[in-house]
Amino acid sequence: MPQYTLNVNRKDHVVDVAADTPLLWVLRETLGLTGTKYGCGMAQCGACTVHLDGRAIRSCVTPVSMAVGKQVTTIEGLAETHLGKTVQGAWQEVDVPQCGYCQSGQIMAATALLKENPSPSEAQIAAAMEGILCRCGTYNRIRSAIQTAAEDLKGGAK
Amino acid sequence: MKQAKMTPSTTAVPSRRKFLKDSVALMGGLVIGFYLPMKSGRALAEAGLEPPKPQVYPPNAFIRIAADDTITVVVNKSEMGQGVYTSLPMLVAEELEADWNRIRVESAPVAQVYNHTTFGMQITGGSSSIPSSWEQLRRVGASARILLIRAAAAQWGVPEAECHAENSRVIHAASGRSVGFGAVADAAAKLELPKEVTLKSPKDFKLIGKPIKRLDTPEKITGRAQFGLDVYIPDMLTVLVARSPVFGGKVKRFDATEAKKVPGVQGVYQVPTGVAVAATGFWPAKTARELLEIEWEEGPGASISTAKMREDYRALAKTPGLTARKEGDAAAALKGAQKVISAEYEVPYLAHAAMEPLNVVVDLKADACTIWTGTQSQTLDHAMAAKTAGLKPEQVKIHTTYLGGGFGRRANPVSDFVIEAVQVAKVIGKPMKLVWTREDDTRGGHYRPMWADHIEAAIGADGKPTAWKHTIVGQSIAAGTPFEPFMIKDGIDAMSVEGAAHLPYRIPNLEVGLHSPKNQVPVQWWRSVGHSHTAFVVETMMDELAHLAGQDPVQYRLSLLEPSSRYAGVLKLAAEKAGWGKTVLPAGHAYGVAVHLSFDSYVAEVAEVSVDNGKVRVHKVVCAVDCGMVVNPDGVRQQVEGGVVYGLAAALHGEITLEQGRVMQSNFHDYIALRFSEMPKVEVHILPSEAPPTGIGEPGTPPIAPAVANAVFKLTGKRLRSMPFDRITLA
């Protein structure tokens, strides 16, 4: 099987997997980063959302080969940036999660949104978060947490 | 394969005495056991299973206090999002006078002491975690507090009555002395449990009733929370099973030549539920499964068509069924009535579609079986696993992980996913994780039953109902499961008629009948169970009667309810908070209302709805809730918000259909969940109450579908009598 060098959360890893293996399973099974979740396997639910060079992508349909030469960030590495830490802090303040299974994907999508657009409107939040499903009903708290994070970023941006 | 995470296994301890001794020696801790009279394994015995033997199980322990004052609460309910890892420790901490910031949570192993106080088995469901733990866990906390005070008082040589506990310390105010719980835990552990405890008066509550942040949030926002799918054990294989496309089908023959060529595949095996592919990871297992060639013996399930069932059910609903309720003479009253409405309703099968697909990790040895899974039903799963493995109950351990959603699916009455995993582990002979793909999860059955209803109702000259004849058709959930003896009486499954057989409205002639046809599609409880369809049927019909009577839907209902009832209380509160009849809504918007009792809690919901290009949009839902005393108001709000969303997804989009026995949906592209842009604003108003707490996980779900349907009628003049609404042409 081919070898790939992946940069995940600012560390290089050499992995030995089939070329068509989705990044999701390399993260979870080869690298042990289980914070990124499997929900549908076809980019329908967004539980697998990670950042590729800062942009939110669905790792369940991204072949490992596409991540080579790029920076992969997962929920485990998110707190390394001020933005990521701020978003997680807002999630904590609003107490968003219920079952929690979708929350890694929600947080990764929200962080990518705020990176592009530090003060999104309600409609922009809805558009960015539309692809990440939650069955417990945390959407309103997610919106509130994104707005809280946006406020926090305005205040203490570094 | 590299190892991701290991779940440390707990050490089996043969007796409570030894555990106490060990825990003192190893951790310097206090362990409080607590017993209540149990119905003890009746359901197991009925199922032909051996009830568990308590003497060979780990101890009955809910609290451990470490020397550093950290307090671990062992929680005997599964955390599936409903917040029990916060609300149940609150009950303990309140009476213990614990420092909330030093509370930790651990999931309970399987043991009789952790049985549900009324269900007699370890299970999480029926919106019952708080009501069933309310007395129990406060007593546990109070007992521990008494022992800690007793131990400290003895050390100081002062009367116990002069000491009190506060913030995880015992204090002797007269002398100004105080000591942390951790320092006296050893001594307290050696004392006899107090025979009597007095619980706090609610006015003295420090935690209960306050909005407390969830203890599991930090883990869930950092990716650290471990769900079943996140468990990796040494040398573990990942297994996918190719199951029959038709319920009840069997493998006739299969060819795995191509599948076995996939790198990473370790073996392909016939198992009772199909063909299992074992591989070094998910991807090779899935790749290989797609290459299997399997011929199935489909059996009678191959003829199932939900379109045909719908016709059969509708016809059946017009014939008399078994009588679930009879007051007066509905048939006679209908004959003589001037104003009569006759309506037919139908609701589809629904999948639970929790975000985490089903999965089970099994480490099966000759003399031991260890299971990691997100289950809601430990006692039954444990017994079934032991029976399947051919092991003694004490040789089987279950570690309950976080559940990535449950909604009832993970309390399977016949332990489907656990039994299958153990069967597969027996064949494979290696540690393994059985993973269900989303498609497997959607097509795997155990659905909310499909139901059809027929109602004939009449009103008198004053507009008040004079007769109500309701016939329900749908599969019994309890039939053929260990729950049958408790839930089916005289042929009536209580879950099929709940919410319909006992109406709160004054109707002199009332008749409710039931047909329970059988087929191969496995059915199961789904958030709010029978109420998920009866509230829809009853509350939309009440709206029709109000319209027929020319009366306001809220006033009409109130005129038929006891004025002092809790029904009336929530209905009035929801109407008031929504500004029913007062708020000027945007053009094209309307309110609809519904009120329903389920799991002993009363919920009224007012939905603000519009219909845009034939599409139903729900803008806002105002909820009023009476669930007795509230432990964590923020938790109640979360559960009601969640209940509304779950019910709304089903009302608007949810539908499982079958053709030629095959489930037509497979993933979130065709089994539609509610997405962000469809999420209404949800307001939750809690009615103050001094009654004991009642359920809250499910009661938010039933009223939303009828509230929305009633608003759509106001907007369009069209009655929605089937779900999902997006199948109904409104444009």
Side-chain angles (χ1 to χ4, degrees), chain A residues 28 37-40 44 88 93 95 98 130 135-136 139-140, chain B residues 213-214 217 220-221 229-230 352 438 642 667 674-675 677 680:
Chain A
R28 289 181 54 82
K37 304 303 184 194
Y38 165 74
C40 70
Q44 286 291 312
Q88 280 171 324
E93 196 184 323
D95 219 13
Q98 289 188 31
E130 189 73 356
R135 292 283 286 159
C136 296
Y139 296 132
N140 287 339
Chain B
K213 288 242 155 69
R214 297 175 65 111
T217 294
K220 288 179 173 177
I221 61 176
L229 207 58
D230 303 331
H352 301 73
R438 172 58 55 194
N667 205 316
L674 204 80
R675 290 190 182 270
S677 63

PDB file of all heavy atoms in Angstrom, chain A residues 28 37-40 44 88 93 95 98 130 135-136 139-140, chain B residues 213-214 217 220-221 229-230 352 438 642 667 674-675 677 680:
ATOM      1  N   ARG A  28      -8.951   8.714  12.252  1.00  0.00           N
ATOM      2  CA  ARG A  28      -9.521   7.967  13.376  1.00  0.00           C
ATOM      3  C   ARG A  28      -8.743   6.690  13.688  1.00  0.00           C
ATOM      4  O   ARG A  28      -8.452   6.400  14.847  1.00  0.00           O
ATOM      5  CB  ARG A  28     -10.986   7.598  13.090  1.00  0.00           C
ATOM      6  CG  ARG A  28     -11.943   8.781  13.126  1.00  0.00           C
ATOM      7  CD  ARG A  28     -13.387   8.322  12.864  1.00  0.00           C
ATOM      8  NE  ARG A  28     -13.791   7.259  13.762  1.00  0.00           N
ATOM      9  CZ  ARG A  28     -14.235   7.442  14.998  1.00  0.00           C
ATOM     10  NH1 ARG A  28     -14.372   8.665  15.472  1.00  0.00           N
ATOM     11  NH2 ARG A  28     -14.558   6.413  15.762  1.00  0.00           N
ATOM     12  N   LYS A  37     -15.798  12.582  13.632  1.00  0.00           N
ATOM     13  CA  LYS A  37     -16.777  11.495  13.680  1.00  0.00           C
ATOM     14  C   LYS A  37     -17.253  11.019  12.324  1.00  0.00           C
ATOM     15  O   LYS A  37     -17.323  11.787  11.360  1.00  0.00           O
ATOM     16  CB  LYS A  37     -18.006  11.947  14.481  1.00  0.00           C
ATOM     17  CG  LYS A  37     -17.709  12.423  15.893  1.00  0.00           C
ATOM     18  CD  LYS A  37     -17.000  11.382  16.739  1.00  0.00           C
ATOM     19  CE  LYS A  37     -16.802  11.858  18.160  1.00  0.00           C
ATOM     20  NZ  LYS A  37     -15.859  11.028  18.900  1.00  0.00           N
ATOM     21  N   TYR A  38     -17.645   9.769  12.297  1.00  0.00           N
ATOM     22  CA  TYR A  38     -18.331   9.183  11.147  1.00  0.00           C
ATOM     23  C   TYR A  38     -19.830   9.280  11.388  1.00  0.00           C
ATOM     24  O   TYR A  38     -20.321   8.830  12.425  1.00  0.00           O
ATOM     25  CB  TYR A  38     -17.934   7.711  10.991  1.00  0.00           C
ATOM     26  CG  TYR A  38     -18.855   6.930  10.066  1.00  0.00           C
ATOM     27  CD1 TYR A  38     -18.802   7.116   8.688  1.00  0.00           C
ATOM     28  CD2 TYR A  38     -19.783   6.023  10.575  1.00  0.00           C
ATOM     29  CE1 TYR A  38     -19.657   6.406   7.841  1.00  0.00           C
ATOM     30  CE2 TYR A  38     -20.645   5.312   9.741  1.00  0.00           C
ATOM     31  CZ  TYR A  38     -20.577   5.511   8.370  1.00  0.00           C
ATOM     32  OH  TYR A  38     -21.421   4.818   7.539  1.00  0.00           O
ATOM     33  N   GLY A  39     -20.551   9.855  10.428  1.00  0.00           N
ATOM     34  CA  GLY A  39     -22.001   9.919  10.573  1.00  0.00           C
ATOM     35  C   GLY A  39     -22.747   9.371   9.373  1.00  0.00           C
ATOM     36  O   GLY A  39     -23.797   8.760   9.523  1.00  0.00           O
ATOM     37  N   CYS A  40     -22.217   9.604   8.169  1.00  0.00           N
ATOM     38  CA  CYS A  40     -22.970   9.185   6.985  1.00  0.00           C
ATOM     39  C   CYS A  40     -22.087   8.609   5.891  1.00  0.00           C
ATOM     40  O   CYS A  40     -22.544   7.826   5.076  1.00  0.00           O
ATOM     41  CB  CYS A  40     -23.780  10.351   6.431  1.00  0.00           C
ATOM     42  SG  CYS A  40     -22.763  11.640   5.666  1.00  0.00           S
ATOM     43  N   GLN A  44     -23.146  14.126   3.851  1.00  0.00           N
ATOM     44  CA  GLN A  44     -24.510  14.584   4.095  1.00  0.00           C
ATOM     45  C   GLN A  44     -24.695  15.174   5.482  1.00  0.00           C
ATOM     46  O   GLN A  44     -25.608  15.956   5.709  1.00  0.00           O
ATOM     47  CB  GLN A  44     -25.489  13.408   3.933  1.00  0.00           C
ATOM     48  CG  GLN A  44     -25.714  12.997   2.501  1.00  0.00           C
ATOM     49  CD  GLN A  44     -26.486  14.057   1.744  1.00  0.00           C
ATOM     50  OE1 GLN A  44     -27.499  14.557   2.193  1.00  0.00           O
ATOM     51  NE2 GLN A  44     -25.972  14.427   0.574  1.00  0.00           N
ATOM     52  N   GLN A  88     -14.329  27.435  20.946  1.00  0.00           N
ATOM     53  CA  GLN A  88     -14.592  26.422  21.980  1.00  0.00           C
ATOM     54  C   GLN A  88     -15.066  27.081  23.275  1.00  0.00           C
ATOM     55  O   GLN A  88     -15.949  26.557  23.963  1.00  0.00           O
ATOM     56  CB  GLN A  88     -13.337  25.570  22.236  1.00  0.00           C
ATOM     57  CG  GLN A  88     -13.177  24.478  21.172  1.00  0.00           C
ATOM     58  CD  GLN A  88     -11.837  23.767  21.261  1.00  0.00           C
ATOM     59  OE1 GLN A  88     -10.818  24.383  21.569  1.00  0.00           O
ATOM     60  NE2 GLN A  88     -11.830  22.471  20.966  1.00  0.00           N
ATOM     61  N   GLU A  93     -19.489  28.408  27.030  1.00  0.00           N
ATOM     62  CA  GLU A  93     -20.301  29.422  27.700  1.00  0.00           C
ATOM     63  C   GLU A  93     -21.790  29.212  27.430  1.00  0.00           C
ATOM     64  O   GLU A  93     -22.623  29.321  28.332  1.00  0.00           O
ATOM     65  CB  GLU A  93     -19.870  30.809  27.199  1.00  0.00           C
ATOM     66  CG  GLU A  93     -20.361  31.941  28.072  1.00  0.00           C
ATOM     67  CD  GLU A  93     -19.987  33.302  27.482  1.00  0.00           C
ATOM     68  OE1 GLU A  93     -18.871  33.419  26.913  1.00  0.00           O
ATOM     69  OE2 GLU A  93     -20.810  34.216  27.580  1.00  0.00           O
ATOM     70  N   ASP A  95     -23.056  26.399  26.521  1.00  0.00           N
ATOM     71  CA  ASP A  95     -23.373  25.013  26.883  1.00  0.00           C
ATOM     72  C   ASP A  95     -24.170  24.356  25.757  1.00  0.00           C
ATOM     73  O   ASP A  95     -25.301  23.918  25.936  1.00  0.00           O
ATOM     74  CB  ASP A  95     -24.164  24.970  28.196  1.00  0.00           C
ATOM     75  CG  ASP A  95     -23.744  23.809  29.093  1.00  0.00           C
ATOM     76  OD1 ASP A  95     -22.696  23.192  28.814  1.00  0.00           O
ATOM     77  OD2 ASP A  95     -24.452  23.521  30.073  1.00  0.00           O
ATOM     78  N   GLN A  98     -25.551  18.421  23.412  1.00  0.00           N
ATOM     79  CA  GLN A  98     -26.392  17.453  24.119  1.00  0.00           C
ATOM     80  C   GLN A  98     -25.669  16.113  24.002  1.00  0.00           C
ATOM     81  O   GLN A  98     -24.766  15.867  24.783  1.00  0.00           O
ATOM     82  CB  GLN A  98     -27.818  17.450  23.557  1.00  0.00           C
ATOM     83  CG  GLN A  98     -28.580  18.738  23.948  1.00  0.00           C
ATOM     84  CD  GLN A  98     -30.050  18.716  23.601  1.00  0.00           C
ATOM     85  OE1 GLN A  98     -30.694  17.669  23.605  1.00  0.00           O
ATOM     86  NE2 GLN A  98     -30.601  19.882  23.298  1.00  0.00           N
ATOM     87  N   GLU A 130     -25.515  24.813   7.438  1.00  0.00           N
ATOM     88  CA  GLU A 130     -26.588  23.990   6.869  1.00  0.00           C
ATOM     89  C   GLU A 130     -26.173  22.525   6.658  1.00  0.00           C
ATOM     90  O   GLU A 130     -26.990  21.623   6.743  1.00  0.00           O
ATOM     91  CB  GLU A 130     -27.030  24.619   5.534  1.00  0.00           C
ATOM     92  CG  GLU A 130     -28.272  24.009   4.919  1.00  0.00           C
ATOM     93  CD  GLU A 130     -29.563  24.381   5.643  1.00  0.00           C
ATOM     94  OE1 GLU A 130     -29.498  25.058   6.693  1.00  0.00           O
ATOM     95  OE2 GLU A 130     -30.632  23.974   5.149  1.00  0.00           O
ATOM     96  N   ARG A 135     -29.155  15.965  15.543  1.00  0.00           N
ATOM     97  CA  ARG A 135     -30.476  15.377  15.785  1.00  0.00           C
ATOM     98  C   ARG A 135     -31.008  15.741  17.166  1.00  0.00           C
ATOM     99  O   ARG A 135     -32.164  15.507  17.474  1.00  0.00           O
ATOM    100  CB  ARG A 135     -30.396  13.844  15.627  1.00  0.00           C
ATOM    101  CG  ARG A 135     -30.146  13.400  14.198  1.00  0.00           C
ATOM    102  CD  ARG A 135     -31.376  13.469  13.338  1.00  0.00           C
ATOM    103  NE  ARG A 135     -32.331  12.396  13.625  1.00  0.00           N
ATOM    104  CZ  ARG A 135     -33.614  12.449  13.321  1.00  0.00           C
ATOM    105  NH1 ARG A 135     -34.123  13.527  12.748  1.00  0.00           N
ATOM    106  NH2 ARG A 135     -34.410  11.431  13.583  1.00  0.00           N
ATOM    107  N   CYS A 136     -30.152  16.268  18.032  1.00  0.00           N
ATOM    108  CA  CYS A 136     -30.589  16.608  19.393  1.00  0.00           C
ATOM    109  C   CYS A 136     -31.267  17.971  19.460  1.00  0.00           C
ATOM    110  O   CYS A 136     -31.917  18.280  20.450  1.00  0.00           O
ATOM    111  CB  CYS A 136     -29.417  16.617  20.356  1.00  0.00           C
ATOM    112  SG  CYS A 136     -28.610  15.032  20.570  1.00  0.00           S
ATOM    113  N   TYR A 139     -29.248  23.536  17.300  1.00  0.00           N
ATOM    114  CA  TYR A 139     -28.979  24.595  16.315  1.00  0.00           C
ATOM    115  C   TYR A 139     -29.063  26.010  16.901  1.00  0.00           C
ATOM    116  O   TYR A 139     -28.230  26.862  16.597  1.00  0.00           O
ATOM    117  CB  TYR A 139     -29.943  24.497  15.131  1.00  0.00           C
ATOM    118  CG  TYR A 139     -29.817  23.233  14.299  1.00  0.00           C
ATOM    119  CD1 TYR A 139     -30.948  22.498  13.945  1.00  0.00           C
ATOM    120  CD2 TYR A 139     -28.580  22.783  13.848  1.00  0.00           C
ATOM    121  CE1 TYR A 139     -30.853  21.353  13.157  1.00  0.00           C
ATOM    122  CE2 TYR A 139     -28.472  21.645  13.065  1.00  0.00           C
ATOM    123  CZ  TYR A 139     -29.617  20.923  12.718  1.00  0.00           C
ATOM    124  OH  TYR A 139     -29.512  19.794  11.949  1.00  0.00           O
ATOM    125  N   ASN A 140     -30.081  26.265  17.705  1.00  0.00           N
ATOM    126  CA  ASN A 140     -30.220  27.630  18.229  1.00  0.00           C
ATOM    127  C   ASN A 140     -29.053  27.992  19.142  1.00  0.00           C
ATOM    128  O   ASN A 140     -28.594  29.131  19.163  1.00  0.00           O
ATOM    129  CB  ASN A 140     -31.551  27.796  18.974  1.00  0.00           C
ATOM    130  CG  ASN A 140     -32.722  27.835  17.998  1.00  0.00           C
ATOM    131  OD1 ASN A 140     -32.534  28.119  16.818  1.00  0.00           O
ATOM    132  ND2 ASN A 140     -33.918  27.535  18.486  1.00  0.00           N
TER     133      ASN A 140
ATOM    134  N   LYS B 213     -24.363  24.219  34.432  1.00  0.00           N
ATOM    135  CA  LYS B 213     -23.707  23.837  33.166  1.00  0.00           C
ATOM    136  C   LYS B 213     -23.438  22.334  33.163  1.00  0.00           C
ATOM    137  O   LYS B 213     -23.089  21.745  34.184  1.00  0.00           O
ATOM    138  CB  LYS B 213     -22.383  24.594  33.028  1.00  0.00           C
ATOM    139  CG  LYS B 213     -22.596  26.066  32.733  1.00  0.00           C
ATOM    140  CD  LYS B 213     -22.002  26.427  31.369  1.00  0.00           C
ATOM    141  CE  LYS B 213     -22.656  27.637  30.766  1.00  0.00           C
ATOM    142  NZ  LYS B 213     -22.379  28.896  31.443  1.00  0.00           N
ATOM    143  N   ARG B 214     -23.536  21.764  31.983  1.00  0.00           N
ATOM    144  CA  ARG B 214     -23.338  20.318  31.865  1.00  0.00           C
ATOM    145  C   ARG B 214     -21.891  19.935  32.183  1.00  0.00           C
ATOM    146  O   ARG B 214     -20.957  20.587  31.730  1.00  0.00           O
ATOM    147  CB  ARG B 214     -23.638  19.875  30.427  1.00  0.00           C
ATOM    148  CG  ARG B 214     -25.064  20.100  29.988  1.00  0.00           C
ATOM    149  CD  ARG B 214     -25.200  19.728  28.525  1.00  0.00           C
ATOM    150  NE  ARG B 214     -24.970  18.305  28.348  1.00  0.00           N
ATOM    151  CZ  ARG B 214     -25.914  17.432  28.010  1.00  0.00           C
ATOM    152  NH1 ARG B 214     -27.140  17.834  27.772  1.00  0.00           N
ATOM    153  NH2 ARG B 214     -25.626  16.159  27.881  1.00  0.00           N
ATOM    154  N   THR B 217     -19.773  18.883  28.920  1.00  0.00           N
ATOM    155  CA  THR B 217     -19.464  19.818  27.823  1.00  0.00           C
ATOM    156  C   THR B 217     -17.970  19.907  27.498  1.00  0.00           C
ATOM    157  O   THR B 217     -17.607  19.839  26.316  1.00  0.00           O
ATOM    158  CB  THR B 217     -20.063  21.206  28.115  1.00  0.00           C
ATOM    159  OG1 THR B 217     -21.490  21.082  28.104  1.00  0.00           O
ATOM    160  CG2 THR B 217     -19.668  22.236  27.066  1.00  0.00           C
ATOM    161  N   LYS B 220     -16.973  17.209  25.273  1.00  0.00           N
ATOM    162  CA  LYS B 220     -17.703  17.145  24.003  1.00  0.00           C
ATOM    163  C   LYS B 220     -17.347  18.282  23.053  1.00  0.00           C
ATOM    164  O   LYS B 220     -17.740  18.252  21.896  1.00  0.00           O
ATOM    165  CB  LYS B 220     -19.217  17.106  24.277  1.00  0.00           C
ATOM    166  CG  LYS B 220     -19.646  15.754  24.853  1.00  0.00           C
ATOM    167  CD  LYS B 220     -21.124  15.674  25.161  1.00  0.00           C
ATOM    168  CE  LYS B 220     -21.496  14.244  25.575  1.00  0.00           C
ATOM    169  NZ  LYS B 220     -22.918  14.123  25.954  1.00  0.00           N
ATOM    170  N   ILE B 221     -16.615  19.283  23.527  1.00  0.00           N
ATOM    171  CA  ILE B 221     -16.208  20.352  22.608  1.00  0.00           C
ATOM    172  C   ILE B 221     -14.729  20.243  22.246  1.00  0.00           C
ATOM    173  O   ILE B 221     -14.216  21.066  21.504  1.00  0.00           O
ATOM    174  CB  ILE B 221     -16.515  21.752  23.196  1.00  0.00           C
ATOM    175  CG1 ILE B 221     -15.758  21.987  24.499  1.00  0.00           C
ATOM    176  CG2 ILE B 221     -18.014  21.922  23.407  1.00  0.00           C
ATOM    177  CD1 ILE B 221     -15.947  23.387  25.056  1.00  0.00           C
ATOM    178  N   LEU B 229     -18.115   4.188  19.095  1.00  0.00           N
ATOM    179  CA  LEU B 229     -17.334   4.090  17.860  1.00  0.00           C
ATOM    180  C   LEU B 229     -15.871   4.497  18.073  1.00  0.00           C
ATOM    181  O   LEU B 229     -15.019   4.211  17.255  1.00  0.00           O
ATOM    182  CB  LEU B 229     -17.981   4.979  16.781  1.00  0.00           C
ATOM    183  CG  LEU B 229     -17.762   4.566  15.334  1.00  0.00           C
ATOM    184  CD1 LEU B 229     -18.254   3.161  15.057  1.00  0.00           C
ATOM    185  CD2 LEU B 229     -18.437   5.543  14.378  1.00  0.00           C
ATOM    186  N   ASP B 230     -15.595   5.182  19.183  1.00  0.00           N
ATOM    187  CA  ASP B 230     -14.232   5.660  19.449  1.00  0.00           C
ATOM    188  C   ASP B 230     -13.404   4.668  20.254  1.00  0.00           C
ATOM    189  O   ASP B 230     -12.251   4.947  20.593  1.00  0.00           O
ATOM    190  CB  ASP B 230     -14.287   6.989  20.209  1.00  0.00           C
ATOM    191  CG  ASP B 230     -15.072   8.038  19.453  1.00  0.00           C
ATOM    192  OD1 ASP B 230     -15.091   7.975  18.214  1.00  0.00           O
ATOM    193  OD2 ASP B 230     -15.671   8.913  20.098  1.00  0.00           O
ATOM    194  N   HIS B 352     -34.777   6.047  13.913  1.00  0.00           N
ATOM    195  CA  HIS B 352     -34.329   6.973  14.961  1.00  0.00           C
ATOM    196  C   HIS B 352     -33.249   7.914  14.444  1.00  0.00           C
ATOM    197  O   HIS B 352     -33.193   9.070  14.816  1.00  0.00           O
ATOM    198  CB  HIS B 352     -33.775   6.185  16.147  1.00  0.00           C
ATOM    199  CG  HIS B 352     -34.777   5.247  16.761  1.00  0.00           C
ATOM    200  ND1 HIS B 352     -35.172   4.082  16.163  1.00  0.00           N
ATOM    201  CD2 HIS B 352     -35.460   5.317  17.921  1.00  0.00           C
ATOM    202  CE1 HIS B 352     -36.062   3.469  16.932  1.00  0.00           C
ATOM    203  NE2 HIS B 352     -36.252   4.193  18.005  1.00  0.00           N
ATOM    204  N   ARG B 438     -24.177   4.143   8.056  1.00  0.00           N
ATOM    205  CA  ARG B 438     -25.439   4.893   8.108  1.00  0.00           C
ATOM    206  C   ARG B 438     -26.541   4.140   7.379  1.00  0.00           C
ATOM    207  O   ARG B 438     -27.688   4.086   7.826  1.00  0.00           O
ATOM    208  CB  ARG B 438     -25.238   6.292   7.498  1.00  0.00           C
ATOM    209  CG  ARG B 438     -26.524   7.100   7.325  1.00  0.00           C
ATOM    210  CD  ARG B 438     -27.286   7.319   8.624  1.00  0.00           C
ATOM    211  NE  ARG B 438     -26.440   7.925   9.639  1.00  0.00           N
ATOM    212  CZ  ARG B 438     -26.743   7.989  10.928  1.00  0.00           C
ATOM    213  NH1 ARG B 438     -27.888   7.494  11.386  1.00  0.00           N
ATOM    214  NH2 ARG B 438     -25.907   8.534  11.781  1.00  0.00           N
ATOM    215  N   GLY B 642     -34.897  20.138  22.062  1.00  0.00           N
ATOM    216  CA  GLY B 642     -34.560  18.922  21.319  1.00  0.00           C
ATOM    217  C   GLY B 642     -35.791  18.129  20.935  1.00  0.00           C
ATOM    218  O   GLY B 642     -35.879  17.603  19.827  1.00  0.00           O
ATOM    219  N   ASN B 667     -29.884   6.936   3.756  1.00  0.00           N
ATOM    220  CA  ASN B 667     -28.919   7.857   4.355  1.00  0.00           C
ATOM    221  C   ASN B 667     -29.608   9.216   4.477  1.00  0.00           C
ATOM    222  O   ASN B 667     -30.789   9.347   4.167  1.00  0.00           O
ATOM    223  CB  ASN B 667     -27.647   7.906   3.492  1.00  0.00           C
ATOM    224  CG  ASN B 667     -26.404   8.308   4.274  1.00  0.00           C
ATOM    225  OD1 ASN B 667     -26.431   9.241   5.084  1.00  0.00           O
ATOM    226  ND2 ASN B 667     -25.297   7.626   4.035  1.00  0.00           N
ATOM    227  N   LEU B 674     -33.898  17.535  10.205  1.00  0.00           N
ATOM    228  CA  LEU B 674     -34.058  18.987  10.180  1.00  0.00           C
ATOM    229  C   LEU B 674     -32.685  19.639  10.090  1.00  0.00           C
ATOM    230  O   LEU B 674     -31.768  19.269  10.824  1.00  0.00           O
ATOM    231  CB  LEU B 674     -34.768  19.457  11.451  1.00  0.00           C
ATOM    232  CG  LEU B 674     -35.493  20.799  11.314  1.00  0.00           C
ATOM    233  CD1 LEU B 674     -36.836  20.578  10.611  1.00  0.00           C
ATOM    234  CD2 LEU B 674     -35.716  21.433  12.666  1.00  0.00           C
ATOM    235  N   ARG B 675     -32.559  20.588   9.176  1.00  0.00           N
ATOM    236  CA  ARG B 675     -31.285  21.291   9.051  1.00  0.00           C
ATOM    237  C   ARG B 675     -31.385  22.679   9.659  1.00  0.00           C
ATOM    238  O   ARG B 675     -32.464  23.156  10.004  1.00  0.00           O
ATOM    239  CB  ARG B 675     -30.857  21.363   7.577  1.00  0.00           C
ATOM    240  CG  ARG B 675     -30.442  19.994   7.049  1.00  0.00           C
ATOM    241  CD  ARG B 675     -29.783  20.042   5.694  1.00  0.00           C
ATOM    242  NE  ARG B 675     -29.464  18.695   5.251  1.00  0.00           N
ATOM    243  CZ  ARG B 675     -28.301  18.071   5.509  1.00  0.00           C
ATOM    244  NH1 ARG B 675     -27.349  18.677   6.183  1.00  0.00           N
ATOM    245  NH2 ARG B 675     -28.103  16.834   5.099  1.00  0.00           N
ATOM    246  N   SER B 677     -31.258  25.783   8.728  1.00  0.00           N
ATOM    247  CA  SER B 677     -32.107  26.874   8.229  1.00  0.00           C
ATOM    248  C   SER B 677     -33.588  26.637   8.520  1.00  0.00           C
ATOM    249  O   SER B 677     -34.389  27.551   8.418  1.00  0.00           O
ATOM    250  CB  SER B 677     -31.903  27.053   6.727  1.00  0.00           C
ATOM    251  OG  SER B 677     -32.303  25.877   6.056  1.00  0.00           O
ATOM    252  N   PRO B 680     -36.747  26.473  13.995  1.00  0.00           N
ATOM    253  CA  PRO B 680     -37.497  27.606  14.528  1.00  0.00           C
ATOM    254  C   PRO B 680     -36.841  28.138  15.802  1.00  0.00           C
ATOM    255  O   PRO B 680     -36.069  27.439  16.460  1.00  0.00           O
ATOM    256  CB  PRO B 680     -38.861  26.999  14.857  1.00  0.00           C
ATOM    257  CG  PRO B 680     -38.589  25.549  15.103  1.00  0.00           C
ATOM    258  CD  PRO B 680     -37.383  25.182  14.268  1.00  0.00           C
TER     259      PRO B 680
END
